[in-house]
Amino acid sequence: MKKISTLRTNGNMIFKGHKLTIGLDLGDRWSFYCVLDEAGKVILEQKLATTPEAMKQTFERIPRSLIALETGTHSPWVSRMLRELGHEVLVAHAQKVQLISKSNRKDDRHDARTLARLARIDPELLGPVRHRSAKAQIHLTMIRARAELVSARTALVNAARGLAKSYGERLRKCGTQQVSRELAAELSVELREVLEPLLAEVESLNERIKEYDARMEKIARESYPQVELLKQVKGVGTQIALTYVLTLEDPHRFPKSREVGCFLGLRPGRRDSGESQPQMHISKEGDRYLRTMLVQGAHYILGPFGADSDLRRWGLKLAARGGKNAKKRAVVAVARKLAILLHRLWVSGGVYEPLRNSNKAMRAVA
């Protein structure tokens, strides 16, 4: 393995005249890269720190190359930096590179070599994905931070209610947004002294969540006008619409709207072999948070407060077929249809007609 001193001494000489392919295995503290020439021969293998300074110092000296790396915590900023340095970057879907994920020989050097060889042979073997822009990522980070606060609030409220029950008392029923120290007023003195600090933390979380809500509305209004198009669908609020826009970022990456359902993992998996075609669960391959948001929207559409629409009627018919999991299947199916509908509204910029298909059918009968 050539040392870094060799690289500094010879400069670009060892790369001169070669078409380079590089595999970069990212670690939290240290990363490892492997450089191949057009014949697949290893030119250089080296370890470097996983920091912006080290990445820039190393890859700005290397001529324009095809660099393959796996998805992970550091892959968004690393891929952006490498593109800024002029390299062609392939971000491999970590779960689809089974030569690495299921390998019996797991080490950074071997993984970097594997990435480089797969990228050199056929980039499609890596199941390449596209990271969002820095602007979209910071806005999506804000939404995810809010989600973490909501999760923490739910956990604290559940803990307070459970602790009160274990003492033979109960907190008054209310939504998590209404939980405050006032709920403890109905409890015994000793229990109130214990639970008031916990309920005070819930109050604080409610305030922070409201601040995030205000920021989210402002971002949607000032930076993403397409959010209003998606909010035409009853059951889709700013949070779902903005998460959808930020996750997909470019609607034209999908030639057909129905491909969005597959992208988000809302289609059944397939394992056809000969005459065997078993029924599979949904693939769940896409963005988990957006998929959760769409399922929540589907629950509202099918619930008691959902507005009448073609989507609701279709989902209720599906749920009415009976069976053990009919309602669950209907919710997932409506979530998939909702993802497709939002993409169509985004691309077309049209006005949403909730009962378009039903009205068309009635006119045809008349």
Side-chain angles (χ1 to χ4, degrees), residues 150-224:
V150 171
S151 178
R153 179 180 65 182
T154 301
L156 288 178
V157 171
N158 290 340
R161 293 191 182 281
L163 292 170
K165 288 180 182 179
S166 67
Y167 201 72
E169 302 183 40
R170 288 179 181 269
L171 290 173
R172 176 169 43 85
K173 287 185 177 181
C174 65
T176 52
Q177 299 91 337
Q178 286 78 45
V179 172
S180 66
R181 281 170 289 185
E182 295 177 2
L183 285 181
E186 303 171 4
L187 303 176
S188 59
V189 176
E190 57 270 24
L191 187 58
R192 185 191 315 150
E193 290 178 353
V194 173
L195 293 185
E196 273 190 346
L198 191 152
L199 296 175
E201 290 300 318
V202 176
E203 278 187 3
S204 176
L205 287 174
N206 280 331
E207 292 301 317
R208 301 293 82 76
I209 292 169
K210 287 179 182 178
E211 291 173 5
Y212 273 123
D213 287 339
R215 290 175 63 183
M216 189 162 54
E217 293 288 346
K218 183 179 180 182
I219 288 171
R221 185 173 58 254
E222 295 179 354
S223 303
Y224 304 96

Side-chain angles (χ1 to χ4, degrees), residues 29-41:
R29 299 282 184 179
W30 297 92
S31 299
F32 202 96
Y33 68 96
C34 172
V35 184
L36 303 179
D37 63 13
E38 61 275 6
K41 179 183 176 182

Side-chain angles (χ1 to χ4, degrees), residues 232-273:
Q232 295 180 89
V233 182
K234 298 299 181 182
V236 176
T238 301
Q239 184 179 356
I240 295 177
L242 185 57
T243 304
Y244 187 91
V245 169
L246 292 173
T247 303
L248 269 61
E249 195 167 13
D250 178 15
H252 300 291
R253 61 194 287 197
F254 303 100
K256 297 180 180 179
S257 295
R258 67 178 61 184
E259 293 180 8
V260 178
C262 300
F263 173 74
L264 296 177
L266 288 167
R267 63 165 177 82
R270 293 180 62 184
R271 190 170 290 174
D272 296 356
S273 179

Side-chain angles (χ1 to χ4, degrees), residues 99-116:
L99 285 175
I100 294 177
S101 62
K102 295 186 177 181
S103 174
N104 293 325
R105 181 185 173 188
K106 284 292 292 179
D107 65 73
D108 297 342
R109 181 179 179 181
H110 181 264
D111 291 350
R113 279 194 180 191
T114 302
L115 283 170

Side-chain angles (χ1 to χ4, degrees), residues 115-166:
L115 283 170
R117 296 195 185 284
L118 288 173
R120 175 179 165 271
I121 296 169
D122 184 358
E124 290 302 314
L125 295 173
L126 297 171
V129 301
R130 185 172 70 178
H131 281 308
R132 58 189 62 88
S133 65
K135 177 185 175 183
Q137 186 178 352
I138 192 62
H139 289 160
L140 195 57
T141 299
M142 183 269 297
I143 294 176
R144 298 289 178 87
R146 178 193 179 277
E148 291 299 326
L149 290 185
V150 171
S151 178
R153 179 180 65 182
T154 301
L156 288 178
V157 171
N158 290 340
R161 293 191 182 281
L163 292 170
K165 288 180 182 179
S166 67

